[in-house]
Every structure is written in C-alpha cells, then in structure tokens.
Amino acid sequence: MEMTNRQVARVLEEIGQLLEVQGENRFKVRAYMAAADRIGHLTGPVGDLTEEELEAIPGIGRALAGKIHQIVQTGTCTERERLIDATPPGLIPLLDLPGVGPKTVRRLWTELGVEDTDSLIAAARNRRVRALKGFGAKKESDILRAAETAGKMTERMDVSGAKRRAAVLMAAIPGEAWVAGSLRRGRSTIGDIDIVTTAPPGETNRALRRIADSMIDEGERKTSVRIEGRRADIRYADTAELGTMLLYLTGSKAFNIRLRGIAAEQGMRLNEYGLLMRESGEVRTFPTEEGVFGALGMVPVPPELREDRGEVEYALEGRLPDLVDAGAIRGDLHVHSEWSDGTLSLPDIADEGEKKGYEYILITDHAAGIGVTHGLDAARLERQRHEIERVNRNAACTLLAGIEVDILADGHLSLPDTALKACDLVVASVHTAFGQDADTMTRRMIVAIENEHVDIIGHPTARLIGRRPPTAVDMDRIIDAAAATGTALEINASPARLDLDDIYIRQAKEQGVNLSIGTDAHRRSDLEAMRYGVALARRGWCGPSDILNTRPLSALLRADE
DNA sequence: GCCGTTTTCGGCCCGACTGTTTTCAGTCG
C-alpha cells in the first residue's frame, strides 16, 4: 500500500512536532514543516519521485529526501521511531493549546512530568504549574482553561461563518477596514479572522469591547478578540502604510517569509510598516500592495496564490498565470429548483440568472434515488424539460435541462441512460455509502466517469466542512480517468463543501481536465457562492480556459457532443 | 535541516503583546 502525499506530509509534520517538544532548533523544525507542506501540495504522487527528484524540490535536501524515500517505502523512518521512543506522543496536542508553545510543553514535561492533556489538567488543578519559575497564577489558569476546552477550537470555520464574523467586526469598526488573512486568500476553511483598519485604535478597541465575546490582547497597533467563539486579529495602519500592512496580514506565513527573504537579498528589510534600505537607512512606505511588489522587482501576486508554491519565482520573472475571475463566468452549472429539494421555481432561477448577467444556468435537480426526497424519475425529468423550454421562450438567461444523478454504490447511475441522453448536461454525484474503502469508492466513481452521458462529477469527495470528512477516494486515479474520458470535475462553490480541494484543482488543470464551477444552490442566496468557487479555482492556478462555464453557450453544448 | 553573484559555515522574517518580569522570554501571526 503506497503512502499518499498527505500521509507522507503528516509523518513529516509529526517529526517536526516531536522535534519541537524535544527543544530542537526551530529552523530544523521549520525545515520539516516546510517539507511537509511541499509534499502535501505536490501535483502527483510523491512515490513516483526518485531521491534526486525530491532533492530538486526547494526546501528539501539530501537528508530529507532520504527520509521521505524511507517514509514512502515503509510508512515511517528511523528518525521518527527514535523520536517516538524518546517523547510521549500525548505531548503533541499540547502544542495546539493557545498560549502554550514548545518551550512550555518541554518544561511541563521535564519539570512536572506532564505527558498529555489529562496530566496537564491535573497538574494545573493541583497548583503545580504556578510553582514553575516564570509561571504565575494567571498563566496557570489560562493553561487550565485551554486544556479543558482543548479540541473544541481546533477545527477551522467554513467561509460563510468567517464572512459573518468579519461583517460584524467591520460594522463595529469606526472607519475603513479590509479583510486579510486566509479569508482574503480564498481558502476553503478559515482558522481566524484578520482585519486591517485605518480607524483610530482607542475608539476601535472600545467599540470592539462592546461586541466581542472577550478581548485576547488589546493594543495601539494590534488587538485580538474572540467573536462568536473564534479568534480575530485587528491591525491598525496609517493609510500611507496600508500596502505593507495588508501584505503582511494577508500572508500566508510561508509567503511572507519568502518575500522578506527576497527583500534581504536585495539589501532591504520588509516589515508591516515599510521597506527599510539597509545601506541608507531610508524607509519607504507604500499605500498599496502593488507598490511593494514593484519595489521588490515582482509583479503583484493575487492573494489566492500567496502560498509559496511556485508563485514567487513566477512573479520575480514577471510572468504569473492568467487567472479566471468572476467576470468571466457565463453561468452556473449546478442549481436545484423546487422540482426536487430547492426552493426556487424555474422562472425565478431564470430571473436570478438574468440579474447576474449569466448566459445560462444548468438546472440539476436530484434524480430519484436513495436518500433524496422528491427526486425526479424519468417521467418527471421529461416534464421538467418541457417546462424549461417554455420558460426559455421569454428569458434572457437560458435554462439548461440537466440532472444531478446519484452514483450508486456499485457505480451505476440512478437513472437509465435513455433519460440521461436527453439532458443538455449530466452531473453525477455520490450521495450514499460514503464510508466505502478507497479502492471501492474510486472504482465506483470511475464507472460513472466512463459513462458516456456523464459530463461532470459533482462535489468529488462529498465532504461537508466540519460535518463529514472527504470520502477515501483516490483522487489521482479520478483525475487520470477524467483526463482520459474528457469528463469534467466540479468545483462545488457551496461554502459548506468547497470540493475539490485546491491541490487537486491544480493537479487536474495540469493534466488538462476540464473543471466546472457550480454553486449547488438550493435557495436564492446560495447563488452568491459563485465567488467562493472562483476563488478556489484561482487557488488551483486555473485560467478562464480551464473552466467550462466561461464558455459561451454554444461552445459549452458543443463540448458535450 | 536547508542553502549560497555576499557565504560550504552561519545565517535562517520580523514585530506586537502578555505575564512575570526589573529587562525579557515565550507565543503568536
């Protein structure tokens, strides 16, 4: 059983964490973490690479290449085994406690014998933590509270929850404010909210105190609050310094480290306030991010690409990929109506499409099948098509007659081919038997991909963020099959799904697989999710030509022939 | 552990805030 990229990345990350607890050099820890990120975001199986090819990856040298090779072969490596023998693995979760870092974990372990969350809670309750030099009662109670609520805060938010919290904060801030962080980068899950504002700190802090659950830190330059149970960081900036501040707070962390390294190579020092010329001592400030990029000799990098996954090198050469944007989207390729479990009528959907300036919307009601109420059988699908034709006679936005058909447990579809043949486009999705093993699930989906009537595979991993994990499907094989058959993979734009993940979008794009963006809308407001799908496509380095729904109607339907 | 038209050794982004401190270490982003 070959290790997946993510499994290998996870082992590297674990080694990094064990090294952290062991008090190892933080740069060594970072090397493992960076390597884990690189391996986790390769577009292709790590097992296919030789040690020489591994060493060619930035941040991976001889030593790591050897260990990665060993991990691919055996699932572990001697370094990891050595560390596990020397370190209680229960210490690793303690690194995630807010306010607790590697130094603290190590001291709790070596000086108090703490080996896991339970023994930490016991030590704190017995007031043994405050006895440590440099620790006090406050620190002890903070640690205790963190340990007692461990696990509840670690899960990331979905995008809609993050947007809602950001809106509450922006409304309270008495001045202009901008969203930064992973929300601005278009990530599919969000850890915390980051906001930059030019509003005055004192007044803003007072306003935030009124709406926040609690204040985490409070300062003149930076304030952190808890809002609806989640952390939010607010940075104060002068208008003249907005460029560097937005750049800094947007991240990613890995991207910031790269940019600051590039500044250093050019005899400059980059921070959130400006660019210091080391020679002259002059500090240049920038009201916009574009100015900063220019001063570093780079073309501006769109937020969605800022992950240090190759975009920095491209930007230095002045040639970033042309990314798809919302304006290029001519229609929505996944919308439910009241004919199945949606709330909108067909004329409503056509109206909404017209308001958005769409050329077309693909109606994809559920087919009758397992678990879906009001699914369409062949007869109702036929009647719906006639209704669509009627609505289209006086609609500016053309409704396309489609279906979202179930991929049954054995790969067969929940409607006969004759019914599918009559559709403009067919979306096929997994809605049952999510727990199948990787091989069964993969073969099941490949049967559907190879069905000549299936045009798009809907929400390919079926995950629901925070509620249902992705299926065990082997996405490498799915992408290969989609490439071979010309079947498109969906980028499901619903904030609850955001499925495919950006790494697979990029991999699919590189293999020439078509991608479609669909909102999976069931009600009016769901149609607004298109922008999340576009952001995800951009994170996958997609240009307009990679996305089916940038095509004019005639070209879209021609692709189906 | 990685990396090099400054270096094969000695760096590795840079700054804000807190708690427990009399000047700073640790954590965080």
Side-chain angles (χ1 to χ4, degrees):
Chain A
M1 176 71 194
E2 194 171 273
M3 299 276 286
T4 66
N5 294 359
R6 285 196 182 188
Q7 288 169 327
V8 174
R10 177 64 204 121
V11 173
L12 291 170
E13 194 183 296
E14 184 191 16
I15 295 172
Q17 291 169 322
L18 289 164
L19 289 169
E20 244 186 325
V21 174
Q22 285 290 349
E24 258 290 0
N25 177 331
R26 65 199 166 102
F27 298 106
K28 184 171 173 178
V29 173
R30 185 203 288 172
Y32 275 90
M33 298 303 189
D37 189 66
R38 286 281 177 175
I39 297 300
H41 290 90
L42 286 178
T43 55
V46 62
D48 290 356
L49 301 180
T50 63
E51 284 195 44
E52 289 71 33
E53 287 166 330
L54 283 168
E55 269 191 70
I57 297 171
I60 295 177
R62 184 162 298 256
L64 269 167
K67 291 187 173 89
I68 291 167
H69 189 69
Q70 205 186 351
I71 293 166
V72 169
Q73 301 295 317
T74 67
T76 185
C77 65
T78 37
E79 173 75 346
R80 172 169 174 269
E81 295 304 308
R82 181 186 72 75
L83 283 164
I84 285 179
D85 284 343
T87 325
L91 292 175
I92 289 179
L94 303 187
L95 291 169
D96 288 332
L97 300 178
V100 177
K103 297 283 199 304
T104 302
V105 170
R106 185 166 174 76
R107 290 196 57 200
L108 291 167
W109 172 38
T110 56
E111 296 178 36
L112 293 181
V114 165
E115 296 207 333
D116 52 27
T117 309
D118 288 340
S119 52
L120 172 58
I121 289 172
R125 286 193 180 143
N126 294 330
R127 304 193 164 196
R128 290 165 58 216
V129 173
R130 70 178 66 182
L132 294 180
K133 186 171 170 56
F135 287 57
K138 173 82 165 72
K139 185 94 184 159
E140 182 179 73
S141 68
D142 286 351
I143 288 175
L144 178 58
R145 188 163 57 246
E148 284 172 338
T149 58
K152 290 176 188 163
M153 291 305 307
T154 54
E155 233 169 46
R156 296 168 65 90
M157 279 170 277
D158 75 23
V159 172
S160 62
K163 279 261 174 189
R164 186 179 65 243
R165 291 174 176 86
V168 170
L169 293 167
M170 310 264 283
I173 293 171
E176 263 196 291
W178 296 264
V179 169
S182 53
L183 190 51
R184 179 166 181 235
R185 298 202 311 279
R187 281 200 59 175
S188 50
T189 61
I190 310 296
D192 58 23
I193 312 285
D194 295 294
I195 291 177
V196 175
T197 180
T198 50
E203 189 186 339
T204 306
N205 286 341
R206 280 192 295 280
L208 291 172
R209 245 179 267 140
R210 285 195 289 274
I211 59 153
D213 306 347
S214 61
M215 305 297 278
I216 298 170
D217 308 322
E218 198 173 334
E220 288 288 304
R221 297 169 184 271
K222 169 182 195 275
T223 286
S224 301
V225 306
R226 201 162 288 292
I227 178 95
E228 292 181 44
R230 298 292 183 157
R231 183 190 179 99
D233 294 316
I234 292 92
R235 287 298 307 250
Y236 298 108
D238 289 339
T239 305
E241 300 168 341
L242 206 47
T244 43
M245 185 60 83
L246 269 172
L247 194 60
Y248 156 71
L249 204 62
T250 298
S252 65
K253 179 177 180 155
F255 181 80
N256 284 347
I257 290 174
R258 275 305 300 280
L259 242 54
R260 290 174 178 200
I262 285 162
E265 284 168 15
Q266 300 177 20
M268 300 182 279
R269 189 170 71 204
L270 174 64
N271 62 24
E272 59 265 51
Y273 305 111
L275 202 49
L276 169 78
M277 312 290 140
R278 287 187 195 273
E279 195 108 321
S280 63
E282 177 204 358
V283 176
R284 293 181 63 190
T285 60
F286 302 89
T288 66
E289 290 183 328
E290 284 71 18
V292 190
F293 283 115
L296 293 173
M298 304 167 72
V299 293
V301 180
E304 295 91 343
L305 293 188
R306 299 181 193 172
E307 300 289 347
D308 191 22
R309 291 175 192 156
E311 76 284 359
V312 173
E313 289 75 7
Y314 279 94
L316 284 165
E317 292 168 13
R319 53 181 193 101
L320 280 170
D322 179 26
L323 299 182
V324 64
D325 59 42
I329 300 297
R330 294 175 187 260
D332 192 330
L333 294 182
H334 192 154
V335 174
H336 295 269
S337 80
E338 62 186 6
W339 281 68
S340 63
D341 60 349
T343 61
L344 292 172
S345 69
L346 295 172
D348 285 344
I349 294 173
D351 282 348
E352 291 297 320
E354 183 179 352
K355 282 186 207 157
K356 295 190 170 308
Y358 285 162
E359 238 178 281
Y360 48 81
I361 286 181
L362 180 65
I363 302 299
T364 52
D365 276 307
H366 290 286
I370 309 161
V372 181
T373 50
H374 301 117
L376 274 60
D377 58 18
R380 283 187 69 218
L381 180 60
E382 172 81 23
R383 275 174 35 219
Q384 188 189 42
R385 184 168 52 254
H386 292 311
E387 170 70 6
I388 284 172
E389 283 165 10
R390 199 185 60 74
V391 173
N392 279 342
R393 277 185 217 128
N394 37 31
C397 171
T398 302
L399 299 184
L400 300 175
I403 189 75
E404 182 178 15
V405 65
D406 288 346
I407 303 174
L408 303 175
D410 64 356
H412 285 95
L413 303 177
S414 64
L415 279 179
D417 284 0
T418 49
L420 302 179
K421 191 163 187 274
C423 290
D424 290 323
L425 290 170
V426 172
V427 176
S429 314
V430 167
H431 289 119
T432 52
F434 301 110
Q436 289 178 334
D437 65 74
D439 194 52
T440 307
M441 177 62 80
T442 305
R443 284 192 294 172
R444 165 189 186 181
M445 290 179 66
I446 289 176
V447 171
I449 288 170
E450 290 177 343
N451 182 307
E452 61 173 326
H453 302 298
V454 171
D455 301 294
I456 297 166
I457 297 298
H459 46 71
T461 76
R463 75 160 173 185
L464 291 174
I465 292 169
R467 287 189 285 151
R468 185 171 68 214
T471 66
V473 64
D474 179 345
M475 200 52 68
D476 292 328
R477 285 167 64 196
I478 295 298
I479 290 170
D480 288 343
T485 57
T487 309
L489 299 179
E490 178 181 72
I491 298 171
N492 190 293
S494 163
R497 295 188 183 270
L498 289 172
D499 181 14
L500 280 182
D501 222 42
D502 49 16
I503 64 171
Y504 294 121
I505 294 172
R506 189 166 171 186
Q507 184 172 337
K509 173 222 157 68
E510 286 181 3
Q511 294 193 32
V513 173
N514 286 321
L515 295 146
S516 77
I517 308 179
T519 60
D520 207 348
H522 286 73
R523 59 187 65 79
R524 197 178 306 268
S525 58
D526 292 348
L527 293 163
E528 306 305 320
M530 182 58 73
R531 58 195 161 132
Y532 304 132
V534 172
L536 204 52
R538 291 165 65 85
R539 289 182 61 82
W541 292 54
C542 286
S545 63
D546 299 310
I547 306 297
L548 275 185
N549 35 326
T550 62
R551 299 183 185 176
L553 181 56
S554 55
L556 178 72
L557 294 178
R558 218 166 31 242
D560 183 37
E561 282 166 8

